[in-house]
Amino acid sequence: MRAFTYERARSPAEAAAAAARTKGAKFIAGGTNLLDLMKLEIETPTHLIDVNGLALDKIEDTPQGGLRIGALVRNTDLAADKRVRRDHALLSRALLAGASGQLRNKATTAGNLLQRTRCPYFYDTNQPCNKRQPGSGCSAIGGFSRQLAVLGASGACIATHPSDMAVAMHVLDATVETVRPDGKARRIPIADFHRLPGDTPHIENALTPGELITAVTLPKPVGGVHIYRKVRDRASYAFALVSVAAIVQRDGTGRVALGGVAHKPWRVEAAEAEMPHGAKAVAARLLAGAKPTEANAFKLPLAERTLAAVLAQAKA
Amino acid sequence: MKNPGDLDLSRRGLLAVGAASVAASALPLEACAQAAATDGSVTSKVSFTVNGEARELELDTRTTLLDALREHLHLTGTKKGCDHGQCGACTVIAGGRRINSCLTLAVMHQGDQVTTIEGLGRPEALHPMQAAFVKHDGYQCGYCTPGQICSAVAVLDEIKAGLPSHVSADLNAPPELTNAELRERMSGNICRCGAYSNIAEAITEVAGGTA
């Protein structure tokens, strides 16, 4: 790990200003992803701004009937919150399907949205990777790509976003609240938050330098049956090969997104319109334009079958 | 891939940052008294309570809680397995919650209460979970055992507190103390010897259940 200086932030705006002012600075909250990457010198911050002391660890009711989740609310606490369990069960289910008890006790809401890919070539510093070292090339293309993207990838990167929570946040139409170095707050709809790789896979989200996530808000509950189905290589503590997050209403309409298939959670409006017509129709729209590799082509039928299982479960 | 010059460059950059933070009175952040050594390393003071005893350390900011416990406080019961949060051998209880001590910096635990395997029980006065692991042979080589036991103690607290898990059928009902629940909740602790069945039996006995 490279050496770094360390400070504890006193307010979100001051933290953002300090991050913008200090070259090589990064925020640290749970640290479960950042320290992992710092040990491998994939992340090499020269200055860490510890935001854990900021009072961003509350879940509050909003005047609109939704919830405002502080950026520092731990994954364990978010999954266990009574209002989340009752009204946004999809979010609890997605969180509980991810990581381990120890990691969920540390990992934060904002950090979860910002976690980096687990593409093996991003992690292997001996290999070219456009995300880790822009312009160096993509070793995953033509390499070991079983876990990697089948949708929205580019000639520069076929990495997937690893988060379960983020897939639920997309289906729940969450909004990311931030503060910028000039002290101004901003609201980013989750649909605009995560980016596709394009030619700049090292830029993963809409945040600008120094911008700090302060909260994630959920609109008022939408009802329906909430299901998060994660398919992985072992029954617990593994990243998704494919996951399906769905909210299904009694009349068969609803919302759906896929995890484990793209550089961001994959939600397609035209696919949701097909929900009353069954999994095949939804999958046709959701997976349109898919470009799998030989090693991950299995994800397409797997996604359709998982979708079918979810819709059947919702009906039962 | 690494340019041999990179390290020197970043050290110079780091020293500049270090100098800026020494002049911390101008910064609107809490200044943590820090010293930058000529090799580029930065040290910082941190104090926390470990197993009921107040400890104060001056550490390289890079020191994980795990290394602080093992290398500086010589509490070697906590084990380093993967050092990347994947195996759970380093599990300790901090602020009442189980965490991977390898994935957190010691300096982030100012004022915290940390409990390690040494704080749960002593050889002459075992914690009930330690005694149950012995009784049920919940290990072979024993390397993962301190982490397993710290994790297991916290798991029972989590169930008592009503925290749901991935296998809880009803999110809104109190979790049941089943074998499936224990296995899911313990999935962050890997046992290369495969003592899982006995571990689950030990935890079940302490919980007073029959799973």
Side-chain angles (χ1 to χ4, degrees):
Chain A
M1 198 187 297
R2 307 273 183 97
F4 55 85
T5 46
Y6 167 85
E7 294 183 71
R8 296 188 191 101
R10 284 189 182 152
S11 84
E14 287 170 2
R21 187 171 55 226
T22 317
K23 199 170 176 293
K26 271 203 169 281
F27 302 119
I28 188 163
T32 52
N33 192 205
L34 182 58
L35 287 168
D36 176 30
L37 295 169
M38 283 169 65
K39 287 180 183 192
L40 299 165
E41 299 194 355
I42 294 166
E43 294 274 14
T44 53
T46 52
H47 184 66
L48 285 184
I49 300 169
D50 183 344
V51 295
N52 284 292
L54 306 180
L56 300 173
D57 56 354
K58 313 270 185 312
I59 305 174
E60 300 159 321
D61 296 316
T62 67
Q64 293 77 30
L67 292 176
R68 186 169 187 274
I69 303 156
L72 292 168
V73 172
R74 309 290 154 170
N75 288 178
T76 296
D77 299 313
L78 184 54
D81 183 87
K82 285 207 165 79
R83 294 159 293 183
V84 175
R85 283 198 255 175
R86 185 189 62 215
D87 301 329
H88 307 282
L90 183 67
L91 183 55
S92 286
R93 286 295 182 195
L95 283 160
L96 294 171
S100 66
Q102 290 96 315
L103 291 169
R104 291 192 297 271
N105 277 344
K106 268 279 162 205
T108 63
T109 306
N112 192 318
L113 287 179
L114 296 176
Q115 65 177 306
R116 313 292 307 272
T117 186
R118 264 55 172 202
C119 174
Y121 300 98
F122 175 68
Y123 266 78
D124 183 351
T125 52
N126 293 310
Q127 305 274 352
C129 168
N130 286 321
K131 191 182 274 300
R132 177 165 30 77
Q133 204 169 9
S136 63
C138 173
S139 313
I141 297 172
F144 183 79
S145 59
R146 183 171 174 271
Q147 294 168 293
L148 303 177
V150 293
L151 288 156
S154 71
C157 180
I158 59 169
T160 47
H161 197 275
S163 170
D164 295 297
M165 185 198 81
V167 187
M169 290 292 195
H170 276 248
V171 170
L172 291 166
D173 281 338
T175 301
V176 179
E177 294 186 1
T178 71
V179 61
R180 290 173 124 163
D182 61 5
K184 288 198 178 113
R186 166 159 98 117
R187 293 168 60 85
I188 309 167
I190 192 85
D192 300 333
F193 185 78
H194 294 109
R195 293 166 42 108
L196 288 178
D199 296 329
T200 54
H202 60 291
I203 303 170
E204 297 174 346
N205 55 60
L207 296 179
T208 54
E211 191 168 9
L212 176 72
I213 298 176
T214 51
V216 178
T217 57
L218 298 179
K220 68 173 193 236
V222 293
V225 179
H226 291 221
I227 299 171
Y228 189 79
R229 184 84 176 253
K230 181 176 182 179
V231 183
R232 45 186 162 173
D233 283 333
R234 54 186 183 201
S236 183
Y237 198 20
F239 290 98
L241 293 167
V242 165
S243 69
V244 172
I247 298 177
V248 186
Q249 304 295 344
R250 208 168 275 183
D251 61 3
T253 62
R255 305 176 182 185
V256 66
L258 298 178
V261 295
H263 200 254
K264 63 177 194 175
W266 197 254
R267 189 175 170 199
V268 177
E269 221 171 285
E272 293 185 351
E274 296 293 335
M275 282 181 72
H277 305 122
K280 209 170 191 58
V282 177
R285 295 280 195 288
L286 205 47
L287 304 174
K291 286 195 185 112
T293 66
E294 202 176 315
N296 66 22
F298 73 93
K299 287 193 178 190
L300 300 178
L302 183 61
E304 185 181 324
R305 288 172 195 165
T306 309
L307 204 50
V310 165
L311 295 181
Q313 188 186 335
K315 241 187 230 176
Chain B
M1 280 305 120
K2 246 172 242 157
N3 178 340
D6 282 355
L7 194 58
D8 291 328
L9 275 173
S10 80
R11 278 184 180 158
R12 273 196 290 279
L14 177 77
L15 286 172
V17 170
S21 89
V22 169
S25 57
L27 288 172
L29 294 165
E30 182 183 335
C32 306
Q34 278 169 29
T38 49
D39 67 354
S41 64
V42 182
T43 59
S44 185
K45 279 191 180 141
V46 63
S47 47
F48 41 66
T49 303
V50 182
N51 301 331
E53 196 181 331
R55 310 299 296 248
E56 189 172 328
L57 295 167
E58 179 150 2
L59 300 169
D60 188 310
T61 51
R62 288 171 285 192
T63 313
T64 60
L65 179 59
L66 172 62
D67 286 340
L69 292 169
R70 286 183 55 85
E71 310 301 332
H72 296 268
L73 299 177
H74 308 295
L75 292 166
T76 53
T78 307
K79 297 294 186 270
K80 182 180 282 192
C82 67
D83 208 26
H84 285 275
Q86 296 172 5
C87 75
C90 69
T91 303
V92 299
I93 299 168
R97 301 181 148 206
R98 56 179 170 146
I99 62 166
N100 298 117
S101 62
C102 74
L103 283 188
T104 189
L105 297 170
V107 291
M108 293 166 72
H109 289 273
Q110 176 63 36
D112 217 345
Q113 303 272 342
V114 180
T115 302
T116 69
I117 190 70
E118 292 93 340
L120 282 181
R122 304 297 312 163
E124 66 282 2
L126 294 179
H127 183 281
M129 192 64 78
Q130 291 171 315
F133 267 63
V134 173
K135 179 180 166 190
H136 290 275
D137 207 10
Y139 47 79
Q140 279 184 44
C141 80
Y143 195 80
C144 72
T145 311
Q148 297 277 2
I149 290 175
C150 286
S151 201
V153 168
V155 160
L156 294 188
D157 286 343
E158 289 166 13
I159 292 176
K160 205 175 284 174
L163 300 187
S165 88
H166 174 61
V167 299
S168 304
D170 183 351
L171 279 182
N172 299 299
E176 291 171 18
L177 198 104
T178 61
N179 190 271
E181 280 281 2
L182 292 179
R183 283 171 178 270
E184 162 59 28
R185 290 167 191 269
M186 291 294 293
S187 70
N189 291 83
I190 310 295
C191 170
R192 186 64 186 79
C193 303
Y196 298 111
S197 293
N198 295 358
I199 290 169
E201 280 176 23
I203 302 172
T204 301
E205 178 174 296
V206 176
T210 52

Short mmCIF file of all heavy atoms in Angstrom, two decimals, chain B residues 126-181:
data_model
loop_
_atom_site.label_atom_id
_atom_site.label_comp_id
_atom_site.label_asym_id
_atom_site.label_seq_id
_atom_site.Cartn_x
_atom_site.Cartn_y
_atom_site.Cartn_z
N LEU B 126 -13.37 -20.12 29.67
CA LEU B 126 -13.77 -20.02 28.27
C LEU B 126 -15.13 -19.34 28.13
O LEU B 126 -16.02 -19.53 28.97
CB LEU B 126 -13.83 -21.40 27.62
CG LEU B 126 -12.52 -22.18 27.47
CD1 LEU B 126 -12.80 -23.54 26.83
CD2 LEU B 126 -11.51 -21.40 26.64
N HIS B 127 -15.27 -18.57 27.06
CA HIS B 127 -16.60 -18.09 26.66
C HIS B 127 -17.43 -19.31 26.26
O HIS B 127 -16.87 -20.28 25.72
CB HIS B 127 -16.42 -17.13 25.48
CG HIS B 127 -17.69 -16.48 25.00
ND1 HIS B 127 -18.61 -17.14 24.21
CD2 HIS B 127 -18.20 -15.24 25.22
CE1 HIS B 127 -19.63 -16.31 23.95
NE2 HIS B 127 -19.40 -15.16 24.56
N PRO B 128 -18.73 -19.29 26.50
CA PRO B 128 -19.55 -20.46 26.13
C PRO B 128 -19.36 -20.90 24.68
O PRO B 128 -19.40 -22.10 24.38
CB PRO B 128 -20.98 -19.97 26.37
CG PRO B 128 -20.86 -18.89 27.39
CD PRO B 128 -19.51 -18.26 27.19
N MET B 129 -19.12 -19.91 23.77
CA MET B 129 -18.94 -20.28 22.36
C MET B 129 -17.59 -21.01 22.18
O MET B 129 -17.50 -21.96 21.39
CB MET B 129 -18.99 -19.03 21.47
CG MET B 129 -19.09 -19.32 19.97
SD MET B 129 -20.65 -20.15 19.52
CE MET B 129 -21.79 -18.77 19.55
N GLN B 130 -16.58 -20.58 22.90
CA GLN B 130 -15.28 -21.27 22.83
C GLN B 130 -15.43 -22.71 23.35
O GLN B 130 -14.94 -23.67 22.74
CB GLN B 130 -14.23 -20.52 23.66
CG GLN B 130 -13.83 -19.18 23.05
CD GLN B 130 -12.95 -18.34 23.97
OE1 GLN B 130 -13.23 -18.23 25.17
NE2 GLN B 130 -11.90 -17.75 23.42
N ALA B 131 -16.13 -22.83 24.47
CA ALA B 131 -16.32 -24.17 25.05
C ALA B 131 -17.10 -25.08 24.10
O ALA B 131 -16.78 -26.27 23.94
CB ALA B 131 -17.05 -24.04 26.39
N ALA B 132 -18.10 -24.50 23.43
CA ALA B 132 -18.92 -25.30 22.51
C ALA B 132 -18.11 -25.74 21.28
O ALA B 132 -18.28 -26.84 20.77
CB ALA B 132 -20.15 -24.51 22.09
N PHE B 133 -17.22 -24.86 20.80
CA PHE B 133 -16.37 -25.24 19.67
C PHE B 133 -15.46 -26.41 20.06
O PHE B 133 -15.23 -27.33 19.28
CB PHE B 133 -15.52 -24.04 19.19
CG PHE B 133 -16.15 -23.25 18.07
CD1 PHE B 133 -17.36 -22.58 18.26
CD2 PHE B 133 -15.55 -23.16 16.82
CE1 PHE B 133 -17.95 -21.84 17.23
CE2 PHE B 133 -16.13 -22.43 15.78
CZ PHE B 133 -17.32 -21.78 15.99
N VAL B 134 -14.94 -26.38 21.29
CA VAL B 134 -14.10 -27.49 21.76
C VAL B 134 -14.94 -28.76 21.85
O VAL B 134 -14.57 -29.82 21.32
CB VAL B 134 -13.47 -27.15 23.14
CG1 VAL B 134 -12.75 -28.37 23.71
CG2 VAL B 134 -12.52 -25.97 23.01
N LYS B 135 -16.11 -28.65 22.48
CA LYS B 135 -16.96 -29.81 22.71
C LYS B 135 -17.39 -30.46 21.38
O LYS B 135 -17.40 -31.69 21.25
CB LYS B 135 -18.20 -29.39 23.50
CG LYS B 135 -19.19 -30.52 23.77
CD LYS B 135 -20.38 -30.02 24.57
CE LYS B 135 -21.50 -31.07 24.53
NZ LYS B 135 -22.75 -30.52 25.08
N HIS B 136 -17.73 -29.62 20.39
CA HIS B 136 -18.25 -30.16 19.12
C HIS B 136 -17.17 -30.32 18.07
O HIS B 136 -17.48 -30.63 16.92
CB HIS B 136 -19.38 -29.26 18.60
CG HIS B 136 -20.61 -29.33 19.42
ND1 HIS B 136 -21.58 -30.29 19.25
CD2 HIS B 136 -21.01 -28.59 20.48
CE1 HIS B 136 -22.54 -30.11 20.13
NE2 HIS B 136 -22.23 -29.09 20.90
N ASP B 137 -15.90 -30.10 18.45
CA ASP B 137 -14.80 -30.27 17.51
C ASP B 137 -15.02 -29.37 16.27
O ASP B 137 -14.96 -29.85 15.14
CB ASP B 137 -14.73 -31.75 17.08
CG ASP B 137 -13.32 -32.16 16.66
OD1 ASP B 137 -12.39 -31.36 16.89
OD2 ASP B 137 -13.18 -33.26 16.11
N GLY B 138 -15.27 -28.09 16.55
CA GLY B 138 -15.61 -27.16 15.47
C GLY B 138 -14.40 -26.62 14.73
O GLY B 138 -14.39 -25.45 14.35
N TYR B 139 -13.39 -27.44 14.54
CA TYR B 139 -12.18 -27.03 13.84
C TYR B 139 -11.30 -28.25 13.59
O TYR B 139 -11.48 -29.29 14.23
CB TYR B 139 -11.37 -26.03 14.68
CG TYR B 139 -11.21 -26.47 16.10
CD1 TYR B 139 -10.25 -27.43 16.46
CD2 TYR B 139 -12.05 -25.98 17.08
CE1 TYR B 139 -10.15 -27.86 17.76
CE2 TYR B 139 -11.96 -26.42 18.39
CZ TYR B 139 -11.00 -27.37 18.73
OH TYR B 139 -10.92 -27.82 20.01
N GLN B 140 -10.37 -28.07 12.65
CA GLN B 140 -9.28 -29.05 12.56
C GLN B 140 -7.97 -28.32 12.83
O GLN B 140 -7.40 -28.42 13.89
CB GLN B 140 -9.29 -29.77 11.22
CG GLN B 140 -10.32 -30.89 11.17
CD GLN B 140 -10.24 -31.66 9.87
OE1 GLN B 140 -9.17 -31.98 9.38
NE2 GLN B 140 -11.39 -31.97 9.30
N CYS B 141 -7.52 -27.52 11.85
CA CYS B 141 -6.23 -26.84 12.06
C CYS B 141 -6.36 -25.68 13.04
O CYS B 141 -5.38 -25.30 13.67
CB CYS B 141 -5.64 -26.36 10.74
SG CYS B 141 -6.35 -24.83 10.10
N GLY B 142 -7.55 -25.08 13.14
CA GLY B 142 -7.78 -24.04 14.12
C GLY B 142 -7.48 -22.62 13.67
O GLY B 142 -7.71 -21.67 14.40
N TYR B 143 -6.97 -22.47 12.46
CA TYR B 143 -6.54 -21.13 12.03
C TYR B 143 -7.73 -20.17 11.88
O TYR B 143 -7.65 -19.01 12.23
CB TYR B 143 -5.76 -21.21 10.71
CG TYR B 143 -4.99 -19.94 10.41
CD1 TYR B 143 -3.76 -19.70 11.02
CD2 TYR B 143 -5.50 -18.99 9.54
CE1 TYR B 143 -3.07 -18.53 10.77
CE2 TYR B 143 -4.81 -17.81 9.29
CZ TYR B 143 -3.59 -17.59 9.89
OH TYR B 143 -2.90 -16.44 9.65
N CYS B 144 -8.85 -20.67 11.38
CA CYS B 144 -10.01 -19.80 11.17
C CYS B 144 -10.83 -19.64 12.44
O CYS B 144 -11.76 -18.84 12.48
CB CYS B 144 -10.90 -20.35 10.05
SG CYS B 144 -11.82 -21.85 10.51
N THR B 145 -10.50 -20.44 13.49
CA THR B 145 -11.37 -20.56 14.65
C THR B 145 -11.61 -19.25 15.41
O THR B 145 -12.77 -18.96 15.75
CB THR B 145 -10.83 -21.65 15.60
OG1 THR B 145 -10.55 -22.83 14.82
CG2 THR B 145 -11.83 -21.99 16.68
N PRO B 146 -10.59 -18.43 15.69
CA PRO B 146 -10.87 -17.18 16.40
C PRO B 146 -11.89 -16.32 15.64
O PRO B 146 -12.80 -15.73 16.25
CB PRO B 146 -9.51 -16.50 16.49
CG PRO B 146 -8.52 -17.62 16.40
CD PRO B 146 -9.14 -18.61 15.46
N GLY B 147 -11.74 -16.24 14.33
CA GLY B 147 -12.68 -15.49 13.51
C GLY B 147 -14.06 -16.12 13.52
O GLY B 147 -15.07 -15.43 13.61
N GLN B 148 -14.09 -17.45 13.45
CA GLN B 148 -15.38 -18.16 13.47
C GLN B 148 -16.11 -17.86 14.79
O GLN B 148 -17.32 -17.61 14.80
CB GLN B 148 -15.16 -19.68 13.37
CG GLN B 148 -14.53 -20.17 12.08
CD GLN B 148 -15.49 -20.36 10.92
OE1 GLN B 148 -16.69 -20.09 11.04
NE2 GLN B 148 -14.97 -20.80 9.79
N ILE B 149 -15.36 -17.89 15.90
CA ILE B 149 -15.99 -17.72 17.21
C ILE B 149 -16.47 -16.27 17.40
O ILE B 149 -17.59 -16.04 17.85
CB ILE B 149 -15.03 -18.17 18.33
CG1 ILE B 149 -14.88 -19.71 18.28
CG2 ILE B 149 -15.52 -17.72 19.71
CD1 ILE B 149 -13.87 -20.29 19.25
N CYS B 150 -15.64 -15.30 17.02
CA CYS B 150 -16.08 -13.90 17.12
C CYS B 150 -17.32 -13.67 16.26
O CYS B 150 -18.27 -13.00 16.67
CB CYS B 150 -14.96 -12.94 16.69
SG CYS B 150 -13.65 -12.79 17.92
N SER B 151 -17.29 -14.25 15.06
CA SER B 151 -18.42 -14.09 14.15
C SER B 151 -19.67 -14.75 14.74
O SER B 151 -20.76 -14.17 14.74
CB SER B 151 -18.07 -14.73 12.80
OG SER B 151 -18.88 -14.23 11.77
N ALA B 152 -19.50 -15.96 15.29
CA ALA B 152 -20.64 -16.71 15.84
C ALA B 152 -21.29 -15.98 17.01
O ALA B 152 -22.53 -15.94 17.12
CB ALA B 152 -20.18 -18.10 16.26
N VAL B 153 -20.46 -15.41 17.88
CA VAL B 153 -21.00 -14.65 19.02
C VAL B 153 -21.85 -13.49 18.50
O VAL B 153 -22.96 -13.24 18.99
CB VAL B 153 -19.84 -14.15 19.93
CG1 VAL B 153 -20.33 -13.13 20.94
CG2 VAL B 153 -19.18 -15.34 20.64
N ALA B 154 -21.34 -12.79 17.48
CA ALA B 154 -22.08 -11.65 16.92
C ALA B 154 -23.33 -12.11 16.18
O ALA B 154 -24.36 -11.43 16.22
CB ALA B 154 -21.17 -10.86 15.98
N VAL B 155 -23.26 -13.27 15.52
CA VAL B 155 -24.42 -13.78 14.79
C VAL B 155 -25.60 -13.98 15.75
O VAL B 155 -26.74 -13.61 15.44
CB VAL B 155 -24.09 -15.11 14.06
CG1 VAL B 155 -25.36 -15.90 13.73
CG2 VAL B 155 -23.32 -14.82 12.78
N LEU B 156 -25.33 -14.55 16.91
CA LEU B 156 -26.42 -14.79 17.85
C LEU B 156 -27.03 -13.46 18.34
O LEU B 156 -28.24 -13.37 18.54
CB LEU B 156 -25.95 -15.66 19.02
CG LEU B 156 -25.56 -17.09 18.62
CD1 LEU B 156 -25.29 -17.93 19.86
CD2 LEU B 156 -26.62 -17.76 17.75
N ASP B 157 -26.17 -12.45 18.51
CA ASP B 157 -26.69 -11.12 18.86
C ASP B 157 -27.55 -10.57 17.74
O ASP B 157 -28.57 -9.92 17.98
CB ASP B 157 -25.53 -10.16 19.14
CG ASP B 157 -24.85 -10.44 20.47
OD1 ASP B 157 -25.46 -11.14 21.31
OD2 ASP B 157 -23.72 -9.96 20.68
N GLU B 158 -27.11 -10.79 16.49
CA GLU B 158 -27.86 -10.27 15.34
C GLU B 158 -29.23 -10.93 15.24
O GLU B 158 -30.24 -10.28 14.94
CB GLU B 158 -27.05 -10.48 14.04
CG GLU B 158 -25.83 -9.57 13.96
CD GLU B 158 -24.82 -9.99 12.88
OE1 GLU B 158 -25.17 -10.84 12.03
OE2 GLU B 158 -23.68 -9.48 12.91
N ILE B 159 -29.28 -12.24 15.51
CA ILE B 159 -30.57 -12.95 15.47
C ILE B 159 -31.46 -12.44 16.60
O ILE B 159 -32.65 -12.17 16.40
CB ILE B 159 -30.36 -14.48 15.55
CG1 ILE B 159 -29.68 -14.98 14.27
CG2 ILE B 159 -31.68 -15.21 15.78
CD1 ILE B 159 -29.32 -16.46 14.27
N LYS B 160 -30.85 -12.26 17.77
CA LYS B 160 -31.61 -11.74 18.93
C LYS B 160 -32.18 -10.36 18.63
O LYS B 160 -33.28 -10.01 19.02
CB LYS B 160 -30.69 -11.70 20.16
CG LYS B 160 -31.45 -11.77 21.48
CD LYS B 160 -30.49 -11.83 22.67
CE LYS B 160 -29.86 -13.20 22.86
NZ LYS B 160 -28.83 -13.19 23.93
N ALA B 161 -31.40 -9.56 17.90
CA ALA B 161 -31.84 -8.20 17.56
C ALA B 161 -32.86 -8.20 16.42
O ALA B 161 -33.37 -7.14 16.05
CB ALA B 161 -30.64 -7.35 17.19
N GLY B 162 -33.13 -9.38 15.86
CA GLY B 162 -34.15 -9.48 14.81
C GLY B 162 -33.67 -9.11 13.43
O GLY B 162 -34.49 -8.86 12.53
N LEU B 163 -32.37 -9.07 13.20
CA LEU B 163 -31.86 -8.71 11.86
C LEU B 163 -32.17 -9.85 10.88
O LEU B 163 -31.87 -11.00 11.16
CB LEU B 163 -30.35 -8.46 11.89
CG LEU B 163 -29.85 -7.34 12.80
CD1 LEU B 163 -28.36 -7.11 12.58
CD2 LEU B 163 -30.59 -6.04 12.54
N PRO B 164 -32.74 -9.52 9.73
CA PRO B 164 -33.06 -10.57 8.75
C PRO B 164 -31.83 -11.03 8.00
O PRO B 164 -30.78 -10.37 8.05
CB PRO B 164 -34.03 -9.86 7.80
CG PRO B 164 -33.62 -8.42 7.84
CD PRO B 164 -33.09 -8.17 9.25
N SER B 165 -31.92 -12.16 7.32
CA SER B 165 -30.83 -12.64 6.47
C SER B 165 -31.40 -13.00 5.09
O SER B 165 -32.60 -12.98 4.88
CB SER B 165 -30.16 -13.87 7.08
OG SER B 165 -30.82 -15.04 6.66
N HIS B 166 -30.48 -13.36 4.21
CA HIS B 166 -30.86 -13.76 2.84
C HIS B 166 -31.84 -14.94 2.84
O HIS B 166 -32.67 -15.06 1.95
CB HIS B 166 -29.58 -14.13 2.07
CG HIS B 166 -29.82 -14.68 0.71
ND1 HIS B 166 -30.46 -13.97 -0.28
CD2 HIS B 166 -29.50 -15.88 0.16
CE1 HIS B 166 -30.53 -14.71 -1.38
NE2 HIS B 166 -29.96 -15.87 -1.15
N VAL B 167 -31.75 -15.82 3.82
CA VAL B 167 -32.62 -17.01 3.81
C VAL B 167 -33.85 -16.85 4.71
O VAL B 167 -34.64 -17.79 4.83
CB VAL B 167 -31.85 -18.30 4.21
CG1 VAL B 167 -30.72 -18.58 3.23
CG2 VAL B 167 -31.32 -18.23 5.63
N SER B 168 -34.02 -15.69 5.32
CA SER B 168 -35.23 -15.48 6.13
C SER B 168 -36.44 -15.43 5.18
O SER B 168 -36.49 -14.59 4.28
CB SER B 168 -35.13 -14.16 6.90
OG SER B 168 -33.97 -14.13 7.70
N ALA B 169 -37.41 -16.33 5.43
CA ALA B 169 -38.55 -16.41 4.51
C ALA B 169 -39.40 -15.15 4.61
O ALA B 169 -39.88 -14.63 3.61
CB ALA B 169 -39.38 -17.65 4.83
N ASP B 170 -39.57 -14.66 5.83
CA ASP B 170 -40.41 -13.47 6.04
C ASP B 170 -39.53 -12.37 6.62
O ASP B 170 -39.01 -12.49 7.73
CB ASP B 170 -41.54 -13.82 7.01
CG ASP B 170 -42.50 -12.64 7.23
OD1 ASP B 170 -42.17 -11.52 6.76
OD2 ASP B 170 -43.55 -12.85 7.87
N LEU B 171 -39.37 -11.29 5.83
CA LEU B 171 -38.51 -10.19 6.27
C LEU B 171 -39.04 -9.50 7.52
O LEU B 171 -38.30 -8.87 8.26
CB LEU B 171 -38.42 -9.13 5.16
CG LEU B 171 -37.46 -9.33 4.01
CD1 LEU B 171 -37.52 -8.12 3.08
CD2 LEU B 171 -36.03 -9.53 4.50
N ASN B 172 -40.35 -9.60 7.73
CA ASN B 172 -40.97 -8.83 8.80
C ASN B 172 -41.23 -9.64 10.06
O ASN B 172 -41.80 -9.13 11.02
CB ASN B 172 -42.26 -8.19 8.28
CG ASN B 172 -41.97 -7.24 7.13
OD1 ASN B 172 -41.25 -6.26 7.28
ND2 ASN B 172 -42.50 -7.55 5.95
N ALA B 173 -40.81 -10.91 10.06
CA ALA B 173 -40.97 -11.76 11.25
C ALA B 173 -39.62 -11.93 11.91
O ALA B 173 -38.58 -11.82 11.25
CB ALA B 173 -41.55 -13.10 10.84
N PRO B 174 -39.58 -12.21 13.22
CA PRO B 174 -38.29 -12.47 13.86
C PRO B 174 -37.62 -13.66 13.20
O PRO B 174 -38.27 -14.65 12.90
CB PRO B 174 -38.68 -12.80 15.31
CG PRO B 174 -40.07 -12.31 15.49
CD PRO B 174 -40.72 -12.35 14.14
N PRO B 175 -36.30 -13.58 12.95
CA PRO B 175 -35.62 -14.69 12.28
C PRO B 175 -35.62 -15.95 13.14
O PRO B 175 -35.58 -15.87 14.38
CB PRO B 175 -34.19 -14.18 12.08
CG PRO B 175 -34.03 -13.02 13.01
CD PRO B 175 -35.39 -12.46 13.25
N GLU B 176 -35.69 -17.09 12.49
CA GLU B 176 -35.69 -18.36 13.22
C GLU B 176 -34.26 -18.87 13.34
O GLU B 176 -33.40 -18.57 12.52
CB GLU B 176 -36.54 -19.38 12.46
CG GLU B 176 -38.02 -19.03 12.50
CD GLU B 176 -38.83 -19.92 11.55
OE1 GLU B 176 -38.30 -20.97 11.15
OE2 GLU B 176 -39.96 -19.52 11.23
N LEU B 177 -34.05 -19.66 14.38
CA LEU B 177 -32.71 -20.17 14.62
C LEU B 177 -32.56 -21.54 13.96
O LEU B 177 -32.57 -22.57 14.62
CB LEU B 177 -32.46 -20.26 16.12
CG LEU B 177 -30.98 -20.35 16.43
CD1 LEU B 177 -30.48 -19.02 16.95
CD2 LEU B 177 -30.67 -21.46 17.38
N THR B 178 -32.46 -21.53 12.64
CA THR B 178 -32.34 -22.79 11.90
C THR B 178 -30.91 -22.98 11.43
O THR B 178 -30.11 -22.03 11.40
CB THR B 178 -33.26 -22.78 10.67
OG1 THR B 178 -32.82 -21.71 9.81
CG2 THR B 178 -34.71 -22.55 11.04
N ASN B 179 -30.61 -24.20 11.04
CA ASN B 179 -29.30 -24.51 10.49
C ASN B 179 -29.03 -23.66 9.24
O ASN B 179 -27.93 -23.14 9.06
CB ASN B 179 -29.24 -26.01 10.16
CG ASN B 179 -27.83 -26.45 9.82
OD1 ASN B 179 -27.42 -26.39 8.68
ND2 ASN B 179 -27.07 -26.86 10.84
N ALA B 180 -30.06 -23.51 8.40
CA ALA B 180 -29.89 -22.71 7.18
C ALA B 180 -29.57 -21.26 7.52
O ALA B 180 -28.72 -20.63 6.86
CB ALA B 180 -31.16 -22.78 6.33
N GLU B 181 -30.22 -20.72 8.54
CA GLU B 181 -29.94 -19.33 8.96
C GLU B 181 -28.50 -19.20 9.44
O GLU B 181 -27.80 -18.26 9.09
CB GLU B 181 -30.90 -18.90 10.09
CG GLU B 181 -32.29 -18.48 9.60
CD GLU B 181 -32.32 -17.05 9.04
OE1 GLU B 181 -31.27 -16.39 8.97
OE2 GLU B 181 -33.42 -16.62 8.63
#
